[in-house]
Amino acid sequence: NPLLTDKLSNCVVCGHKFVYSFISFETLPLVEFKLTNGLSDEKAQILMKEVPVIGDAGRADEGIEFTDDGEAQTLQIGEGGAESGVENGAGSNDMFTKQLMDMDHGTSSEWPMITVDAKTLAGFNPREVFRVYYPHKALPTRYFRAIISYLDRPIVQCPRCQKLFEEEEFEAYVLKNGKCPVCRFKLTNYAKEKDGKNDEDDPLEMIDSDIY
């Protein structure tokens, strides 16, 4: 994006609003989507926790390549040649990928919100899909999908304030301060586990609190 633009924190090409890591405020590789009509939030939560079967619904990040050569970061979608997952058909038939790659928006100057059905949502990796929920009617539930694998760029979410972070910088802050950098929610067990007791567990499941 150019430094001066009337789009503020939106992409000047597609109009999508950027999502930032709330420590360094680096842009996170997240795309917001909404649920198709008839798919409830309760059902979506169940599907988001399921581990997908490889090749079942296709993966939305197949055919999406992220490279960083030290001088520039490049995101390539669907043009990886014969070895590209999208070119081979894997991941190219789900709703998310089709809409992500659709450049024809008719007379609209804005990129429409991506809509996801139950089958597509079930094909997402649980580590790469996020739900932002606040218990207030004025604040709608929002859903985000990482378009870069969590193995390359892991993202974590505070279970209290719902903010999203780069995992590496979030861990560094919590290990030093023992709390979320935004809401100051204490994550004491996070630090204990990361000290070596059990590195395989998800740190956000190790919360020492009576309200969760």
Side-chain angles (χ1 to χ4, degrees):
N1 267 24
L3 294 178
L4 296 177
T5 171
D6 58 357
K7 292 288 187 179
L8 299 178
S9 60
N10 292 48
C11 175
V12 296
V13 177
C14 67
H16 183 79
K17 189 175 181 63
F18 293 130
V19 182
Y20 298 100
S21 175
F22 272 73
I23 296 180
S24 64
F25 284 90
E26 288 287 329
T27 304
L28 297 173
L30 295 172
V31 174
E32 186 172 3
F33 64 88
K34 63 181 180 180
L35 306 179
T36 188
N37 292 336
L39 179 57
S40 66
D41 177 62
E42 291 75 15
K43 178 63 174 177
Q45 291 182 66
I46 296 173
L47 294 173
M48 289 167 63
K49 294 178 181 178
E50 294 181 353
V51 178
V53 177
I54 301 300
D56 210 18
R59 287 184 49 81
D61 61 355
E62 293 188 20
I64 301 177
E65 182 180 357
F66 175 76
T67 58
D68 185 351
D69 60 8
E71 297 183 357
Q73 295 179 337
T74 306
L75 181 65
Q76 181 173 301
I77 304 177
E79 297 182 358
E83 295 183 359
S84 169
V86 173
E87 291 293 328
N88 289 330
S92 61
N93 293 321
D94 69 88
M95 293 180 67
F96 186 94
T97 304
K98 283 183 176 180
Q99 295 170 79
L100 182 66
M101 300 177 64
D102 181 17
M103 302 299 175
D104 184 11
H105 305 143
T107 59
S108 175
S109 60
E110 296 185 2
W111 197 297
M113 178 81 74
I114 291 178
T115 302
V116 166
D117 61 8
K119 181 179 179 181
T120 302
L121 189 58
F124 292 164
N125 189 311
R127 291 288 305 273
E128 298 170 0
V129 62
F130 302 90
R131 173 179 177 267
V132 177
Y133 168 77
Y134 298 105
H136 195 289
K137 294 181 179 180
L139 300 173
T141 302
R142 302 173 68 190
Y143 306 89
F144 297 89
R145 165 74 164 96
I147 59 173
I148 297 177
S149 171
Y150 76 94
L151 296 174
D152 297 320
R153 197 167 177 189
I155 299 170
V156 296
Q157 182 179 26
C158 174
R160 187 179 191 184
C161 67
Q162 306 285 293
K163 298 300 184 184
L164 297 158
F165 306 88
E166 292 270 13
E167 184 181 65
E168 184 176 349
E169 61 187 21
F170 181 75
E171 285 185 357
Y173 186 94
V174 173
L175 290 173
K176 180 179 180 180
N177 301 283
K179 55 190 175 183
C180 171
V182 176
C183 67
R184 308 304 180 188
F185 181 58
K186 290 185 178 180
L187 297 165
T188 54
N189 283 351
Y190 188 116
K192 292 178 182 177
E193 295 294 341
K194 282 299 176 179
D195 280 339
K197 287 188 177 180
N198 191 345
D199 289 334
E200 296 180 355
D201 290 338
D202 188 339
L204 294 186
E205 296 296 332
M206 309 170 190
I207 302 164
D208 185 14
S209 172
D210 294 332
I211 65 174
Y212 288 98

